[in-house]
Amino acid sequence: MKVPKTINTYCPRCKTHTPHSVSLYKGGKRRTLAEGQRRYDRKNLGYGGQRKPEQKRFAKVTKKAVLMLKCTKCGYVIMKPGIRIKKVEIVEVAK
């Protein structure tokens, strides 16, 4: 699916429609010192190997692509809920 580089949409901070730059959301690096991660690592220590079953085959074919819309006037970022797409292409729209 082709998505334009800029979209004119509503900005809650400006309280008006403004041009927004479009980018794809990418999850950050996992924190190794987070409590859940420390607990998971502690359970995996020693003999016995992996605690949770390894996933053999995937049920889903696609991932949900989340669009990040950044207001060009104030810099406010809106996250658009993900839609299942195999490939997202951000393109320049010729007028």
Side-chain angles (χ1 to χ4, degrees):
M1 182 175 156
K2 292 183 179 176
V3 180
K5 264 186 185 174
T6 56
I7 293 174
N8 198 45
T9 188
Y10 182 76
C11 175
R13 191 184 282 172
C14 298
K15 293 191 171 86
T16 180
H17 278 70
T18 55
H20 285 66
S21 60
V22 179
S23 62
L24 268 176
Y25 171 77
K26 186 178 185 292
K29 195 177 175 187
R30 303 297 298 265
R31 296 183 305 149
T32 53
L33 290 176
E35 179 55 41
Q37 187 63 45
R38 293 198 314 255
R39 189 179 295 125
Y40 178 78
D41 292 339
R42 195 165 52 245
K43 283 186 175 182
N44 272 350
L45 277 176
Y47 294 111
Q50 193 72 21
R51 288 290 181 263
K52 291 187 176 182
E54 256 181 57
Q55 198 170 8
K56 294 286 189 263
R57 64 186 78 86
F58 292 103
K60 305 280 190 285
V61 183
T62 56
K63 293 235 181 222
K64 283 188 173 184
V66 177
L67 294 179
M68 277 173 54
L69 307 176
K70 187 175 183 180
C71 180
T72 51
K73 282 190 178 176
C74 67
Y76 188 78
V77 177
I78 303 165
M79 306 277 256
K80 281 283 179 194
I83 41 176
R84 291 203 175 275
I85 304 174
K86 283 205 175 190
K87 186 181 173 188
V88 179
E89 211 177 323
I90 298 172
V91 293
E92 188 67 52
V93 178
K95 288 183 180 180

